[in-house]
Amino acid sequence: MAAQFGRLRKGAVNTTVAAVAVAALAASQAPGVTTDDAGRRIATGTQPSPDAAAEDSATGNSPYYTDLPPLNSPNPSPSADTPVSPGSSEAGIPATVLDAYKKAETALREAKPGCNLPWQLLAAIGKVESGQARGGRVDANGTTISRILGPQLNGNGFANISDTDNGAYDGDSSYDRAVGPMQFIPSTWEWAGRDGNGDGKRDPNNVYDAALAAGHYLCRFGWDLSTQGDLDRAILSYNNSQDYLNLVMRWLEYYRKGTHEIPDGTGTLPSDRSDDSAGASPTPTAPVTPTTPPKPATPTTPGSPGPGDNGGGSSSPKPTPPSPTPPPTT
């Protein structure tokens, strides 16, 4: 599977859809005050443009894998001290990737206990966004062997997001691209990034950093993910499409029924994508409007950081971007 995504066939409706959801989220805040946990995102109280709405999402509404879960549910998960289990690679999660999801859940349980983030949600999003870091192709520290890049967000069928990182994260100094196993765009990673493995860096290509960042991203606005309404809103804020929401929910329920570890690098690579006519979403979907208003959120000081998390406060150092290297070609 090429690290750089290929054909772009999905319509620009994704950016319009994103505007609807972001507007709904903004409506739950006081006028002119829409922030992340550290108070670093401030809206003007006006309707954002579609491109601005996409930029405020985790992925810029980039394409995603549309493969469905297997029909048969996996066996119950083994205990934490059970060795790597044999079984279908499709049902399993690479060991380092699974460890990152579980550590992120533990950190969020301490930092934001009211969010009730399940690691299976991170696994579902990781499956849809990158095929679990392309089948667990990560090094011993959890960094992907090669960068996983989304398409250039140049307005050609997707949002138009000009470069925000001088190519430091995505190797593109003209336009932004979604980066890493959880597919953050650089402008979102700048404020949402976390250090999940305690190495002093916030690297979107590292599955520990990306999983912890995704957990905090999904838990913002005071959402309680044990309730279906907030869970839906959180998933739609990651990539605003009804097809995306339905697919993530299917993988979430699949992983909740049980899964098992498989060795790193042995996971099954997904084959269908939302920007491919062979995928599950060949036509645009209708805009998504939450059925109930989001809960009001009062900006507060970030919660106590979890293991390896700097808490994301405004005094936190900016991320140290990886040295620019050209994206791999296949």
Side-chain angles (χ1 to χ4, degrees):
M1 185 76 185
Q4 180 173 334
F5 299 145
R7 293 169 290 174
L8 306 180
R9 297 183 181 175
K10 193 148 185 177
V13 68
N14 275 346
T15 57
T16 303
V17 168
V20 175
V22 171
L25 296 179
S28 69
Q29 307 290 314
V33 183
T34 300
T35 66
D36 77 322
D37 294 331
R40 287 177 290 185
R41 301 290 285 184
I42 302 177
T44 62
T46 61
Q47 176 73 19
S49 69
D51 290 337
E55 188 172 359
D56 284 338
S57 73
T59 68
N61 297 319
S62 292
Y64 52 90
Y65 288 111
T66 58
D67 295 45
L68 297 173
L71 293 176
N72 296 325
S73 298
N75 294 324
S77 301
S79 61
D81 55 0
T82 301
V84 173
S85 303
S88 167
S89 59
E90 179 70 16
I93 299 176
T96 298
V97 179
L98 179 59
D99 185 58
Y101 296 151
K102 291 185 175 181
K103 279 184 167 59
E105 179 195 58
T106 299
L108 267 297
R109 191 181 301 127
E110 179 180 346
K112 299 181 180 180
C115 178
N116 297 303
L117 171 79
W119 67 260
Q120 292 91 342
L121 176 59
L122 298 177
I125 291 175
K127 180 68 174 182
V128 169
E129 291 294 344
S130 70
Q132 310 297 17
R134 297 213 309 273
R137 285 155 177 80
V138 297
D139 64 19
N141 295 318
T143 302
T144 57
I145 301 301
S146 57
R147 286 189 293 181
I148 305 172
L149 298 177
Q152 189 180 62
L153 297 175
N154 58 9
N156 184 16
F158 293 95
N160 189 330
I161 303 178
S162 296
D163 173 65
T164 62
D165 65 328
N166 198 29
Y169 294 119
D170 55 15
D172 191 329
S173 59
S174 298
Y175 297 92
D176 274 352
R177 299 169 182 253
V179 180
M182 303 303 279
Q183 288 289 278
F184 279 95
I185 54 173
S187 57
T188 301
W189 182 260
E190 179 68 18
W191 62 269
R194 297 294 195 278
D195 175 14
N197 61 354
D199 65 357
K201 297 184 294 185
R202 300 177 180 182
D203 183 0
N205 301 291
N206 182 277
V207 70
Y208 288 99
D209 295 0
L212 185 61
H216 277 276
Y217 186 90
L218 293 164
C219 287
R220 72 202 193 288
F221 297 124
W223 283 329
D224 177 1
L225 304 187
S226 66
T227 66
Q228 191 62 51
D230 281 358
L231 178 60
D232 289 350
R233 279 185 282 274
I235 295 171
L236 288 171
S237 78
Y238 212 90
N239 191 315
N240 193 262
S241 159
Q242 186 64 49
D243 287 342
Y244 183 87
L245 170 61
N246 293 342
L247 183 62
V248 169
M249 284 301 304
R250 291 186 69 166
W251 279 106
L252 171 59
E253 293 307 315
Y254 180 78
Y255 287 134
R256 276 175 168 167
K257 293 176 182 178
T259 187
H260 58 271
E261 290 183 0
I262 57 174
D264 289 344
T266 64
T268 300
L269 295 178
S271 58
D272 295 335
R273 295 195 53 79
S274 61
D275 57 339
D276 191 328
S277 60
S281 305
T283 57
T285 58
V288 178
T289 303
T291 55
T292 56
K295 294 179 180 179
T298 301
T300 59
T301 301
S304 302
D309 176 30
N310 56 25
S314 57
S315 61
S316 304
K318 288 182 177 287
T320 304
S323 300
T325 57
T329 58
T330 57

